[in-house]
Amino acid sequence: MINKKQFRIFTIVDLDKEEEYLHEMHLKGWRYRTSRFGFFYFDQCQPDDVIYHIYDSRFLKKYKHELQDFRNSGWELIETGFCSILRKPTSDILSEEKVYMSKDLRWEVMQSRLRSCIATFSGGLVVCMSLYRENLSQSFFIIFVLYTYLISYLIYGFFRLKRKYQVDEK
């Protein structure tokens, strides 16, 4: 069997882009096998229209019945770790399965991940500022710029996903 390895970086606000990437690769005849440290490993297969969904594993552990519902409806669990990756041919997707793909559910998971990320980055920024408060060296400014960029990217991702999922705050 022919294997393929590609390097791609996706952040937590890019999970939708990662799903699209895996879908496109399957359309080209490459079935996703696993990923490690930004390297995606594929096996050659017949090109097919297959939907991939990536869910936060913490969310699926919290709602164990959701994972069992996925399995009962024919979704193949490929990988579990930080994220659970499921796939299913589009021809096998039934109309009642659209519930599992609901934008509200995906938004809830994304909000949880964004909150924890922003809290972590903000905490790191506070630690960084407390370490360098007396002498503002060049390394402080480099770290500060990196943190500013990361937090800005998360905020941009938040609004991009909010627009994509068209979530109305109640």
Side-chain angles (χ1 to χ4, degrees), residues 5-129:
K5 176 171 69 169
Q6 286 190 336
F7 181 75
R8 299 288 166 126
I9 296 290
F10 295 101
T11 65
I12 68 160
V13 293
D14 296 331
L15 291 181
D16 58 329
K17 293 177 183 178
E18 186 175 352
E19 290 174 350
E20 290 170 17
Y21 167 70
L22 295 176
H23 176 73
E24 288 172 13
M25 290 301 290
H26 209 112
L27 286 172
K28 293 176 183 176
W30 295 100
R31 180 184 312 124
Y32 172 76
R33 186 172 23 127
T34 188
S35 64
R36 298 282 180 261
F37 306 111
F39 288 99
F40 286 79
Y41 299 90
F42 299 92
D43 295 324
Q44 192 172 27
C45 66
Q46 291 294 326
D48 194 11
D49 193 9
V50 175
I51 297 291
Y52 284 84
H53 279 293
I54 302 173
Y55 287 95
D56 191 325
S57 291
R58 294 175 298 170
F59 178 79
L60 289 178
K61 285 178 186 173
K62 184 178 177 183
Y63 301 104
K64 291 180 182 176
H65 66 279
E66 294 287 333
L67 181 58
Q68 191 57 45
D69 287 345
F70 281 121
R71 286 184 175 156
N72 291 344
S73 62
W75 286 87
E76 177 186 0
L77 180 63
I78 304 166
E79 185 174 36
T80 57
F82 183 65
C83 291
S84 297
I85 301 176
L86 302 129
R87 75 172 158 224
K88 187 174 185 179
T90 55
S91 59
D92 295 345
I93 293 180
L94 305 172
S95 61
E96 62 266 9
E97 288 182 283
K98 300 291 183 191
V99 173
Y100 299 118
M101 297 178 225
S102 78
K103 292 180 178 185
D104 291 335
L105 179 65
R106 295 178 68 76
W107 178 247
E108 180 184 334
V109 171
M110 190 54 62
Q111 271 186 311
S112 168
R113 294 186 82 186
L114 282 170
R115 270 189 234 115
S116 63
C117 239
I118 288 176
T120 302
F121 285 140
S122 299
L125 184 60
V126 168
V127 168
C128 175
M129 292 184 78

Side-chain angles (χ1 to χ4, degrees), residues 141-159:
F141 289 109
I142 291 170
I143 292 171
F144 182 77
V145 166
L146 281 173
Y147 268 102
T148 303
Y149 173 74
L150 289 172
I151 291 172
S152 299
Y153 187 75
L154 286 174
I155 291 169
Y156 164 76
F158 173 83
F159 286 109

